[in-house]
């Protein structure tokens, strides 16, 4: 009885397991092998060579990309949390319950459109003759249009726009789960509004923040489109460098090594936030 | 439509934990049996074994004379009414009740007619097209009952069926369950931790504790003459008096007592008195005089704390009839009928 | 204090809708440069988009890939969730971890891994390859959503069905799937939107026939254009429509 139950269980799990192993685990293993191979001319030499990884730290355009990626990702994560928390709070506690779902839905509606279109839209807004420059000049704030497109500012703005929506969603989900009695109990025991927030609400919503922050980190550091469209080619992020290797140079081993480094950074971020994530509970 | 059950030396282990020890039980066809005990006593495990959801580690279950120990739930002449009712949320009440008949290949028109008759029987006439979420808790309970009875099982297993209902509704549903059981004649096995519920509906109560059966019998017998100290405590409030074996019987804080039953062992013993057995008067076994402490009125009786004066440390809880009008501070002479007392070997009792 | 909060809400909405609004607004501009000042309105660009064979083909490809990959991901995810939630499997914690794992990996890496494999095996790039990649990223999501909806209460309901005589196949088709329909549909539509919008995997794994985001990407090389605004608006409104429908017909109904 128990054996047949287990066997049938395997039957159900096998298709998904096969897919994951064949199209995710195996390619990943081959990518690891690829990162240890080298390219001589156009020919691929398989081996166990750490040369690609040494290049990452030896060549400044590679190590520079890692630093740029980290700087942008951390800036974006921080700014997005700071902007999203008050928004989630207001929707959770100020907007009347009747309208809450609608307001939340509207607040994250643009989240559902593609990276390409979203980044392109920001290009419209931030370009030399775009709406922002137009408005600032007609208000007399600036005389000359500001250079905003093709800068890190544009990349960060584009990212923050996306991740504010994502974080609003995760933090909101956490805030509405909290019984209002926590806040009542805290204020009843003499805490001021700020103290209640600082000592009770904030620690209780930390899991929501961390889940959102982790997702932000993963999606942001691996994104190619936003920096490519908005940041231009002045400074490259890791995904941009990977694409350059794939396209122009056909240097798959270096691209693979960079991808492994990217995964390493995500793993570090996971370990740093693992306490709050509990992916194993999914 | 109905069948007897034989449970023979049944044991069940969850990993290292022994949930059931050597259960033996005979249940007659058409009996209403209540499995009563605190949470974790094994009553739900026993029910799951009867329903076929758990295969016991040892022992056998026979239903209607046939061995059912390893038979799947669907192939048993039993149906289970689940604690959370487990109604199919996406189906109408009609489809819920007709589901078992559909699985047995009955034609749509026939099974719908039968489902509607059953819904009518449980007082949900005209609601057949509704869905479960439109119903109140009591109504859902009725649908679950109709669904379980629709396939005409020999044995109906009810897992805390009234647990989710408020007190008043629970009393009403107890009466309905009982009368439906009489009507169908099906063997009912009902799990609960509420001893009042058990007494209200059971033909026989099975008191369970820590995976063992403590007592089996009709409610009056189990209440008045429990087979164990645990059963005595679980069936209702008791006053427990320590006792030792003396020259001609028991020595208690209230003096000598001729034992009402044959004593087993050398003692020490515990004498149990139910609060309503204590009378104000001097007939029978006299408990001396006591001062009334707190007293609360319950409609049919006063529940009083009585501080016994002669025997200093003892405080008894008594249910005194309203006409006694016990005032706090008043002094009463107390007695009991010794034939009503129960005596057990003393042991640690965790209430 | 309260005013400040409403003000913040308003500002946040302005920030969130600024790019989307200018995208949609200038798609109606009578002029090829989607920048102020606004002239028009005109539907000319939408006409051009609808008349553009390549864009329309890409739109069709995107729909095919999105529907096909989401369907596959949902079926595989449902089966795996059912197997893991309802059967005793050794190492089920690890299995769940493995199935969830692609969710924590950048799309770029998933795409690159598949690209390397297909190159090494000499398999040509195609919409099929992109579809396989989209199933890889959506399977964990579908699995997680459907698995989370298979609680103890649902298990009890399936037990009741079994108790009444239903075999495993009938339990699944008559009880489990209809009962979990909201979660399954939610997973399906979420996978649809993600696949519909996905760029990098499609970019790496398609060659001659491409999906819409990849086609739009190649339009961007020619700079800002009102026609790009028009197709961008269509993409945005398409996603928004799916999300709104989902809310109205699936999540909105759950409220008692």
């Amino acid at each position: 009885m128990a054996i047949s139950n287990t066997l049938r269980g395997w039957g159900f799990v096998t298709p998904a397991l096969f897919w994951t192993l064949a199209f995710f685990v195996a390619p990943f293993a081959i990518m690891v092998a690829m990162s240890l191979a080298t390219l001589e001319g156009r020919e691929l030499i398989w081996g166990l060579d750490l040369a690609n990884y040494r290049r990452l730290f030896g060549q400044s355009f590679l190590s520079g990309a890692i630093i740029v990626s980290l700087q942008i990702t951390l800036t974006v994560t921080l700014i997005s949390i700071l902007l999203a928390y008050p928004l989630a709070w207001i929707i959770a506690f100020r907007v009347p319950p009747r309208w809450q779902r609608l307001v939340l839905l509207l607040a994250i509606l643009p989240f559902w459109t593609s990276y390409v279109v979203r980044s392109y839209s920001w290009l419209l807004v931030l370009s030399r003759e775009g709406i922002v420059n137009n408005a600032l000049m007609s208000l007399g704030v600036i005389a000359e249009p500001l250079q905003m497109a093709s800068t890190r500012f544009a990349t960060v703005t584009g990212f923050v726009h996306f991740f504010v929506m994502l974080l609003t969603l995760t933090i909101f989900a956490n805030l509405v789960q909290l019984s209002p009695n926590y806040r009542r109990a805290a204020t009843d025991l003499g805490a001021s509004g700020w103290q209640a927030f600082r000592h009770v609400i904030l620690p209780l919503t930390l899991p929501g923040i961390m889940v959102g922050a982790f997702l932000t980190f993963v999606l942001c550091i691996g994104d190619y489109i936003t920096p490519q469209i908005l940041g231009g080619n002045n400074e490259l992020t890791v995904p941009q460098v990977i694409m350059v290797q794939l396209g122009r140079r056909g240097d798959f081993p270096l691209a693979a090594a960079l991808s492994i480094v990217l995964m390493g950074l995500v793993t570090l971020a996971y370990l740093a936030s693992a306490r709050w994530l509990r992916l194993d509970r999914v | 439509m109905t069948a007897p059950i034989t449970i023979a030396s049944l044991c069940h282990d969850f990993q290292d934990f022994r949930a059931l020890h050597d259960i033996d039980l005979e249940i007659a066809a058409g009996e209403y049996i209540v499995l009563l005990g605190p949470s974790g006593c094994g009553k739900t495990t026993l029910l799951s074994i009867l329903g076929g959801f758990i295969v016991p580690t040892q022992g056998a279950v026979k239903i209607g004379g046939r061995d059912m120990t390893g038979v799947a739930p669907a192939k048993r002449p039993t149906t289970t009414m689940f604690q959370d009712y487990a109604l199919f949320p996406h189906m109408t009440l009609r489809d819920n009740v007709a589901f078992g008949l559909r699985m047995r290949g009955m034609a749509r028109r026939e099974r719908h007619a039968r489902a509607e008759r059953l819904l009518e029987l449980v007082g949900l006439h005209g609601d057949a097209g509704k869905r479960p979420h439109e119903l109140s808790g009591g109504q859902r309970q009725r649908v679950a009952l109709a669904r379980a009875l629709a396939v005409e099982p020999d044995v109906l297993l009810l897992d805390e069926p009234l647990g989710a209902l408020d007190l008043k509704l629970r009393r009403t549903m107890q009466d309905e369950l009982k009368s439906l059981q009489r009507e169908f004649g099906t063997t009912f096995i009902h799990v609960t931790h509420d001893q009042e519920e058990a007494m209200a509906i059971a033909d026989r109560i099975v008191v369970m504790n820590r995976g063992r059966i403590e007592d089996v019998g009709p409610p009056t017998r189990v209440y008045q003459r429990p087979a164990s100290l645990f059963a005595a405590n679980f069936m209702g409030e008791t006053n427990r008096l320590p006792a030792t074996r003396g020259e001609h019987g028991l020595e208690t804080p209230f003096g000598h007592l001729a034992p009402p039953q044959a004593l087993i062992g050398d003692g020490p013993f515990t004498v149990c008195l139910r609060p309503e057995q204590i009378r104000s008067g001097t007939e029978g076994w006299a408990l001396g005089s006591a001062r009334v402490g707190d007293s609360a009125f319950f409609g049919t009786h006063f529940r009083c704390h009585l501080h016994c004066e002669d025997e200093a440390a003892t405080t008894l809880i008594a249910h005194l009839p309203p006409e006694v009008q016990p005032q706090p501070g008043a002094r009463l002479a107390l007695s009991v009928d010794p034939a009503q007392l129960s005596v057990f070997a003393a042991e640690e009792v965790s209430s | 204090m309260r005013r400040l909060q409403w003000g913040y809400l308003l500002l946040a909405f302005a920030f969130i809708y600024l790019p989307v609004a200018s995208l949609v607004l200038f798609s109606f501009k009578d002029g090829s440069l989607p920048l102020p000042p606004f002239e028009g309105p005109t539907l000319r660009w939408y006409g051009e988009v609808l008349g553009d064979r390549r864009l329309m083909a890409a739109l069709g490809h995107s729909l095919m890939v999105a529907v096909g990959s989401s369907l596959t991901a949902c079926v595989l995810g449902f089966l795996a969730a059912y197997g893991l939630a309802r059967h005793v499997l050794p190492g089920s914690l690890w299995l769940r971890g493995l199935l969830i794992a692609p969710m924590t990996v950048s799309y770029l890496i998933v795409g690159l891994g598949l690209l390397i494999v297909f190159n090494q095996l000499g398999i040509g790039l195609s919409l099929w390859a992109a579809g396989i990649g989209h199933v890889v990223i959506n399977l964990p999501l579908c699995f997680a959503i459907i698995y989370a909806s298979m609680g103890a209460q649902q298990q009890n309901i399936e037990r009741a069905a079994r108790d009444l005589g239903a075999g495993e196949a009938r339990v699944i088709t008559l009880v489990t799937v209809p009962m979990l329909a909201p979660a399954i549909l939610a997973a399906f539509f979420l996978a649809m939107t993600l696949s519909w919008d996905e760029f990098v995997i499609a970019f790496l794994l398609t060659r001659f026939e491409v999906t819409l985001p990849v086609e739009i990407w190649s339009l961007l090389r020619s700079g800002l254009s009102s026609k790009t605004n028009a197709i961008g608006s269509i993409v945005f409104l398409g996603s928004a429509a799916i999300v709104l429908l989902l809310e109205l017909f699936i999540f909105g109904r759950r409220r008692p």
Side-chain angles (χ1 to χ4, degrees):
Chain A
M1 173 91 186
I3 291 170
S4 83
N5 175 296
T6 304
L7 266 181
R8 261 189 302 176
W10 280 114
F12 285 107
V13 178
T14 301
L17 202 60
F18 167 78
W19 200 283
T20 306
L21 290 175
F23 300 120
F24 175 71
V25 177
F28 187 71
I30 293 171
M31 195 164 79
V32 172
M34 179 68 86
S35 76
L36 300 172
T38 46
L39 210 55
E40 278 183 16
R42 287 235 141 247
E43 202 176 343
L44 194 65
I45 314 284
W46 296 96
L48 288 174
D49 197 337
L50 287 173
N52 294 311
Y53 293 96
R54 278 197 295 275
R55 280 164 74 195
L56 296 184
F57 301 99
Q59 285 172 277
S60 66
F61 83 99
L62 294 174
S63 52
I66 297 175
I67 291 168
V68 168
S69 270
L70 276 176
Q71 281 174 345
I72 289 178
T73 302
L74 292 174
T75 315
V76 165
T77 308
L78 192 68
I79 296 178
S80 302
I81 292 173
L82 290 178
L83 291 180
Y85 202 104
L87 182 58
W89 176 277
I90 292 165
I91 296 175
F93 298 125
R94 284 288 167 263
V95 173
R98 270 194 68 175
W99 300 106
Q100 234 169 45
R101 280 188 80 90
L102 185 68
V103 172
L104 182 73
L105 187 75
L106 289 178
I108 59 166
L109 198 56
F111 176 84
W112 298 108
T113 198
S114 80
Y115 275 103
V116 181
V117 173
R118 210 177 317 107
S119 302
Y120 172 76
S121 319
W122 274 108
L123 202 59
L124 294 178
V125 173
L126 297 177
S127 75
R128 218 176 147 73
E129 291 95 37
I131 296 178
V132 173
N133 270 324
N134 220 286
L136 290 178
M137 288 204 338
S138 61
L139 286 174
V141 182
I142 50 169
E144 287 287 303
L146 295 172
Q147 168 71 30
M148 286 183 289
S150 299
T151 62
R152 188 186 286 196
F153 171 77
T155 305
V156 170
T157 306
F159 271 138
V160 165
H161 177 243
F162 181 62
F163 293 116
V164 160
M165 295 187 274
L166 178 75
L167 280 156
T168 301
L169 188 64
T170 64
I171 297 171
F172 174 85
N174 211 299
L175 281 174
V176 289
Q177 275 180 4
L178 294 184
S179 155
N181 286 342
Y182 286 123
R183 208 155 37 127
R184 287 189 200 135
T187 44
D188 188 43
L189 295 169
S192 68
W194 165 250
Q195 283 172 319
F197 173 74
R198 167 76 185 73
H199 296 290
V200 180
I201 305 298
L202 188 62
L204 286 172
T205 48
L206 211 53
I209 296 175
M210 292 312 288
V211 169
F214 176 68
L215 281 174
T216 302
F217 190 95
V218 175
L219 294 174
C220 184
I221 205 162
D223 184 38
Y224 165 67
I225 281 293
T226 310
Q228 183 68 17
I229 294 180
L230 290 171
N233 288 317
N234 302 325
E235 49 174 20
L236 297 185
T237 60
V238 175
Q240 286 175 292
V241 174
I242 293 177
M243 291 300 241
V244 170
Q245 302 309 320
L246 292 183
R248 241 176 288 156
R249 301 173 187 230
D251 192 344
F252 277 70
L254 184 60
L258 275 165
S259 302
I260 305 289
V261 169
L262 207 57
M263 274 212 61
L265 294 175
V266 170
T267 309
L268 285 181
Y270 173 74
L271 292 178
S273 50
R275 272 179 62 194
W276 294 279
L277 294 181
R278 302 182 168 170
L279 282 179
D280 56 314
R281 295 255 183 109
V282 172
Chain B
M1 289 294 287
T2 186
I5 300 174
T6 305
I7 300 169
S9 42
L10 200 70
C11 291
H12 191 70
D13 300 327
F14 292 111
Q15 275 102 42
D16 302 334
F17 173 70
R18 176 145 282 203
L20 292 175
H21 297 263
D22 256 335
I23 302 288
D24 285 294
L25 189 62
E26 290 281 347
I27 296 168
E31 238 188 329
Y32 201 129
I33 292 284
V34 172
L35 304 179
L36 174 70
S39 62
C41 72
K43 58 190 190 295
T44 303
T45 309
L46 181 55
L47 197 77
S48 299
I49 289 175
L50 291 176
F53 298 106
I54 297 179
V55 178
T57 315
Q58 278 174 46
V61 175
K62 278 187 190 169
I63 301 175
R66 287 185 297 145
D67 184 18
M68 287 286 157
T69 316
V71 176
K75 305 233 163 67
R76 292 182 181 226
T78 61
T79 47
T80 299
M81 197 182 127
F82 292 90
Q83 187 173 10
D84 57 3
Y85 313 141
L87 297 177
F88 306 129
H90 56 289
M91 292 183 195
T92 59
L93 305 192
R94 184 188 300 114
D95 287 338
N96 260 286
V97 175
F99 187 86
L101 301 171
R102 182 177 176 189
M103 291 303 114
R104 281 155 182 74
M106 187 183 281
R108 174 190 295 262
R109 185 177 303 184
E110 203 182 336
R111 66 177 191 251
H112 280 182
R114 186 114 140 236
E116 274 162 33
R117 258 203 322 281
L118 271 158
L119 283 169
E120 201 171 329
L121 197 67
V122 295
L124 286 167
H125 180 61
D127 293 329
K130 285 189 180 169
R131 280 171 204 275
H133 68 89
E134 296 173 68
L135 304 183
S136 69
Q139 289 172 322
R140 281 180 211 187
Q141 204 263 354
R142 290 185 170 102
V143 177
L145 190 63
R147 185 177 72 178
L149 287 172
V151 296
E152 302 188 338
D154 291 342
V155 179
L156 183 67
L157 306 169
L158 305 101
D159 184 9
E160 304 243 2
L162 309 177
L165 307 181
D166 63 54
L167 191 65
K168 219 168 178 176
L169 192 54
R170 209 183 301 172
R171 299 289 172 250
T172 320
M173 290 308 300
Q174 284 166 9
D175 297 342
E176 289 189 19
L177 274 179
K178 185 84 180 168
S179 73
L180 273 169
Q181 193 257 347
R182 291 272 173 272
E183 200 170 322
F184 279 76
T186 307
T187 310
F188 273 37
I189 301 182
H190 173 134
V191 157
T192 183
H193 57 258
D194 177 352
Q195 104 280 358
E196 283 188 38
E197 183 174 308
M199 287 197 276
I201 45 182
D203 292 331
R204 281 196 301 156
I205 295 176
V206 178
V207 183
M208 295 183 66
N209 182 36
R210 295 187 189 169
R212 290 192 164 84
I213 291 179
E214 296 267 345
D215 197 358
V216 185
T220 44
R221 209 281 287 137
V222 174
Y223 183 80
Q224 289 167 353
R225 289 244 158 262
S228 74
L229 190 54
F230 177 85
N233 275 310
F234 201 79
M235 289 303 292
E237 203 164 25
T238 54
N239 294 290
R240 293 189 295 274
L241 305 176
T244 51
R245 197 186 269 273
E247 288 278 312
H248 305 288
L250 290 166
E251 296 302 328
T252 75
F254 295 99
H256 178 76
L257 173 67
Q261 304 109 258
L263 297 177
I264 299 163
D266 297 331
F269 299 96
T270 302
V271 179
C272 288
L273 296 82
R274 296 255 181 237
E276 66 278 9
Q277 291 167 344
I278 297 174
R279 299 170 303 202
S280 95
T282 50
E283 302 156 47
W285 187 38
L287 301 178
S289 73
R291 203 164 35 74
V292 178
D294 295 330
S295 150
F297 183 54
F298 279 79
T300 53
H301 61 266
F302 279 92
R303 181 174 179 275
C304 309
H305 289 254
L306 302 172
H307 304 292
C308 297
E309 295 194 320
D310 304 340
E311 313 308 332
T314 313
T315 296
L316 297 174
I317 290 173
H319 293 175
L320 299 176
E323 54 278 12
V324 176
Q325 295 274 344
Q327 298 297 327
R331 194 162 289 191
L332 295 172
L334 303 176
S335 67
V336 295
D337 175 0
Q340 293 179 338
L341 301 178
S342 304
V343 182
F344 304 101
E347 57 177 88
E348 283 296 309
V349 173
S350 53
S351 55
Chain C
M1 192 63 193
R2 201 150 276 217
R3 252 201 212 154
L4 203 69
Q5 294 184 349
W6 289 115
Y8 187 85
L9 187 69
L10 228 62
L11 269 178
F13 265 82
F15 173 66
I16 288 168
Y17 278 93
L18 180 62
V20 178
S22 34
L23 177 79
V24 177
L25 176 68
F26 287 108
S27 71
F28 295 110
K29 184 184 162 179
D30 198 359
S32 62
L33 207 61
L35 294 170
F38 183 78
E39 298 142 13
T42 175
L43 287 173
R44 188 173 118 209
W45 303 113
Y46 287 91
E48 282 207 13
V49 165
L50 294 178
D52 187 322
R53 280 246 187 96
R54 287 180 60 89
L55 274 176
M56 286 302 109
L59 192 117
H61 299 153
S62 265
L63 270 177
M64 266 164 22
V65 171
V67 171
S69 70
S70 311
L71 214 56
T72 313
C74 261
V75 171
L76 295 184
F78 172 81
L79 291 177
Y82 185 84
L84 280 165
R86 300 292 181 255
H87 296 83
V88 186
L89 291 180
S92 67
L93 193 69
W94 286 98
L95 282 176
R96 268 183 291 160
L98 183 64
L99 290 175
I100 296 291
M103 211 150 61
T104 59
V105 172
S106 303
Y107 289 2
L108 176 60
I109 295 176
V110 172
L112 179 58
L114 284 170
L115 177 65
I116 292 174
V117 170
F118 291 145
N119 272 351
Q120 295 295 316
L121 295 179
I123 298 172
L125 301 177
S126 65
L127 291 172
W128 286 101
I132 288 177
H134 284 183
V135 175
V136 172
I137 57 170
N138 281 328
L139 176 55
L141 210 68
C142 293
F143 168 73
I145 291 174
I146 297 171
Y147 185 80
S149 71
M150 290 183 172
Q153 202 193 344
Q154 283 72 23
Q155 182 160 20
N156 237 356
I157 290 171
E158 291 166 12
R159 269 183 161 197
R162 213 160 285 149
D163 185 43
L164 293 169
E168 185 139 26
R170 293 232 254 183
V171 171
I172 291 176
T173 53
L174 293 180
V175 176
T176 311
V177 170
M179 175 172 64
L180 301 182
I184 296 172
L185 280 179
F188 176 76
F189 281 111
L190 189 61
M192 270 268 293
T193 34
L194 291 180
S195 167
W196 170 252
D197 289 339
E198 201 283 328
F199 168 76
V200 87
I201 293 176
F203 181 66
L204 288 174
L205 298 181
T206 55
R207 174 110 345 135
F208 304 110
E209 296 183 309
V210 296
T211 62
L212 196 54
V214 181
E215 189 59 41
I216 295 175
W217 169 255
S218 56
L219 281 183
L220 291 190
R221 297 219 188 105
S222 50
L224 304 181
S225 118
S226 298
K227 188 177 160 192
T228 311
N229 277 41
I231 183 70
S233 302
I234 292 175
V235 171
F236 168 67
L237 295 174
S239 308
I242 297 183
V243 173
L244 285 173
L245 284 177
L246 205 61
E247 165 70 18
L248 278 176
F249 292 107
I250 297 179
F251 295 117
R253 276 201 184 171
R254 244 194 247 165
R255 273 170 293 175

